[in-house]
Amino acid sequence: MKPMAHLGVGIGWRPEIAEAVERLPGLDWVEVVAENVCPGHLPESLLRLRERGTRVVPHGVSLGLGGADRPDPEKLAALGERAVALGAPLVSEHIAFVRTSSPVLEAGHLLPVPRTRDALDVLCENVRIAQDALPVPLALENIAALFSWPGEELTEGQFLTELVERTGVRLLIDVANLHTNRVNRGEDPAAVLAGIPLEALAYVHVAGGVERGGVWHDTHAHPVPPVVLDLLAELRSRVDPPGVLLERDDDFPPEQELADELTAIRAVVTAGSAPTGPTTVGVGVPGTASEASADPEAAVEPEASAEPEAARTRVALGQAALLSALVAGTPVPEGFDRLRIRVQARALAAKRADVVARLAPELPGILGGRDPYREAFLAYAKGRPMTAGYRRDALDFAEHLLIRDLPADPADRRRLTVWWRDRAGARPPGRIVRWARTLVGRAA
């Protein structure tokens, strides 16, 4: 496998901290959420960073390469366009699923794939499809999870190693996610790091979180805790990472605190030295599939399923049952921790409410503030899973209220009607239509 380009120490670029990011001393690169930028209208801040030589890497969150369906060609093309527009050396995504097609459901969040042979076969094919469509190399990130799948056949290390061997894909290791999975799933981060091919490492994520009730929440809204920096040091003792990036997505601190966190990360990266020479981590017996990681074209598929479509069907059924339980209130599938699934379901609903409020900040104002808005949205979301993304969700929520002659105050209802009409491009439903839809909702 060819050595990865050196990136250095960077930070996740977000519009809320764009000016602060430009002023951070010694910043080598930034990562931007791919879905949040338009290739033809890049933010001026990103353009200025590029002009002074700061590398920009697009980080996708919506491909769902671990899902049962093959990747959406339009989403792949959009990710590739952003890589070209930003002059990126690579793009990154996640080992996760985010939606199902039967039934049509959107999680609005990254969900873990089962570590099974079926899921690995599906993921490997999806990764190859993505690699063929993208103009630059692809790196995939290990995700944080609140729960485990029953009946898993592989460890995290085995799953990631075979993925690399069979596809030649790069790895984005999030050490904060390793800590999350230690708390939530009892997994040993050191065992994961000892079991994966670190020669495939593209870069590393570092982020903060918080523990509540024995569950670690990977918030990206808290300072990086010492335990996560310790895991970065553990990884650094094994390999010299091509890049390390600080993620912060919410509750942004003062500029100096961001600079201090980058200084702490840089100190860990520069302290000590990683083993010299080729790493032996994750290397198999000569003549096996591990040699294929140096040449993706020559990659072989150990224990790949002889029935790829049957594997997709089995993965689809499992993911649909789980996602339906999480967002549509259907029974929790056998073998899952029901308490953890309930925690995840509440977290998904809360995130959904928060994202809609950010995309449509007028809604909390029309509904009388954050608390009344949140109460109304969570009641709406309980029986109406998201099927077409957050922007559509905001419109559907507004229409749901109008059908029920809400808000109660006529002036507020007129404001919501105008808001909905301006964005939906249609007249709000008339009284007869609202009455009919209400009856249908009651019947359902």
Side-chain angles (χ1 to χ4, degrees), residues 7-12 24-29 173-176 203-208 222-236 240-248 256-272:
L7 293 170
V9 175
I11 192 170
L24 288 171
L27 187 69
D28 298 313
W29 66 293
I173 297 300
D174 189 316
V175 291
Y203 62 97
V204 178
H205 272 174
V206 179
H222 292 79
V224 177
V227 67
V228 171
L229 290 177
D230 290 344
L231 286 177
L232 177 62
E234 171 72 16
L235 182 146
R236 179 64 182 87
D240 186 3
V244 181
L245 184 119
L246 170 64
E247 287 188 294
R248 189 70 180 242
Q256 186 57 51
E257 288 187 28
L258 290 175
D260 291 344
E261 289 208 297
L262 286 176
T263 297
I265 290 169
R266 192 175 288 109
V268 174
V269 173
T270 57

Side-chain angles (χ1 to χ4, degrees), residues 117 120 124 154 158-167 302:
R117 291 289 172 191
L120 181 60
C124 286
L154 302 165
Q158 291 168 335
F159 193 87
L160 294 178
T161 296
E162 285 206 27
L163 173 63
V164 170
E165 290 174 344
R166 291 167 58 174
T167 66

Side-chain angles (χ1 to χ4, degrees), residues 6 10 41 68 87 106 127 134 201 240 262 289 326 330 368 371 385 410 414 439:
H6 180 74
H41 302 87
E106 288 275 348
V127 168
L134 292 169
L201 184 65
D240 186 3
L262 286 176
L326 288 169
T330 59
D371 291 342
R414 284 194 295 271
L439 287 181

Side-chain angles (χ1 to χ4, degrees), residues 1-21:
M1 181 171 285
K2 295 180 180 178
M4 190 65 216
H6 180 74
L7 293 170
V9 175
I11 192 170
W13 183 93
R14 303 294 184 264
E16 297 88 342
I17 54 171
E19 293 184 5
V21 167

Side-chain angles (χ1 to χ4, degrees), residues 353-375:
D354 291 343
V355 174
V356 167
R358 285 200 296 271
L359 290 174
E362 303 87 351
L363 292 178
I366 293 171
L367 296 177
R370 180 183 181 276
D371 291 342
Y373 156 78
R374 195 176 183 84
E375 181 180 354

Side-chain angles (χ1 to χ4, degrees), residues 65-346:
L65 291 174
D69 295 322
R70 290 176 175 82
D72 183 337
E74 291 185 4
K75 290 183 182 294
L76 284 173
L79 183 56
E81 288 171 3
R82 284 150 179 77
V84 172
L86 294 167
L90 78 161
V91 297
S92 57
E93 247 288 353
H94 300 83
I95 301 170
F97 82 100
V98 297
R99 66 183 61 86
T100 58
S101 59
S102 181
V104 177
L105 296 172
E106 288 275 348
H109 189 70
L110 303 165
L111 296 175
V113 301
R115 297 176 193 140
T116 62
R117 291 289 172 191
D118 280 348
L120 181 60
D121 291 344
V122 169
L123 175 63
C124 286
E125 184 183 358
N126 289 350
V127 168
R128 284 204 184 89
I129 292 170
Q131 288 171 317
D132 289 343
L134 292 169
V136 294
L138 171 67
L140 293 181
E141 179 181 352
N142 61 304
I143 73 163
L146 283 172
F147 60 89
S148 298
W149 283 78
E152 293 193 325
E153 300 164 335
L154 302 165
T155 66
E156 177 83 333
Q158 291 168 335
F159 193 87
L160 294 178
T161 296
E162 285 206 27
L163 173 63
V164 170
E165 290 174 344
R166 291 167 58 174
T167 66
V169 76
R170 302 281 182 169
L171 294 178
L172 160 52
I173 297 300
D174 189 316
V175 291
N177 290 350
L178 293 179
H179 173 64
T180 301
N181 294 340
R182 167 166 55 193
V183 176
N184 295 348
R185 304 203 283 184
E187 297 175 356
D188 180 4
V192 175
L193 292 176
I196 60 176
L198 290 175
E199 67 272 16
L201 184 65
Y203 62 97
V204 178
H205 272 174
V206 179
V210 63
E211 186 171 351
R212 299 190 189 100
V215 174
W216 185 269
H217 298 271
D218 181 44
T219 64
H220 295 188
H222 292 79
V224 177
V227 67
V228 171
L229 290 177
D230 290 344
L231 286 177
L232 177 62
E234 171 72 16
L235 182 146
R236 179 64 182 87
S237 72
R238 298 170 182 273
V239 67
D240 186 3
V244 181
L245 184 119
L246 170 64
E247 287 188 294
R248 189 70 180 242
D249 295 331
D250 204 357
D251 196 16
F252 298 102
E255 184 176 330
Q256 186 57 51
E257 288 187 28
L258 290 175
D260 291 344
E261 289 208 297
L262 286 176
T263 297
I265 290 169
R266 192 175 288 109
V268 174
V269 173
T270 57
S273 59
T276 58
T279 178
T280 58
V281 176
V283 175
V285 178
T288 66
S290 60
E291 295 182 348
S293 62
D295 182 7
E297 297 298 323
V300 299
E301 297 196 6
E303 299 188 45
S305 171
E307 304 177 76
E309 292 309 312
R312 281 192 183 274
T313 298
R314 290 189 291 268
V315 170
L317 290 172
Q319 291 181 348
L322 173 62
L323 186 52
S324 183
L326 288 169
V327 302
T330 59
V332 177
E334 190 68 30
F336 283 95
D337 184 324
R338 284 171 168 73
L339 176 60
R340 287 298 176 90
I341 296 301
R342 285 197 294 270
V343 171
Q344 181 71 83
R346 289 196 296 270

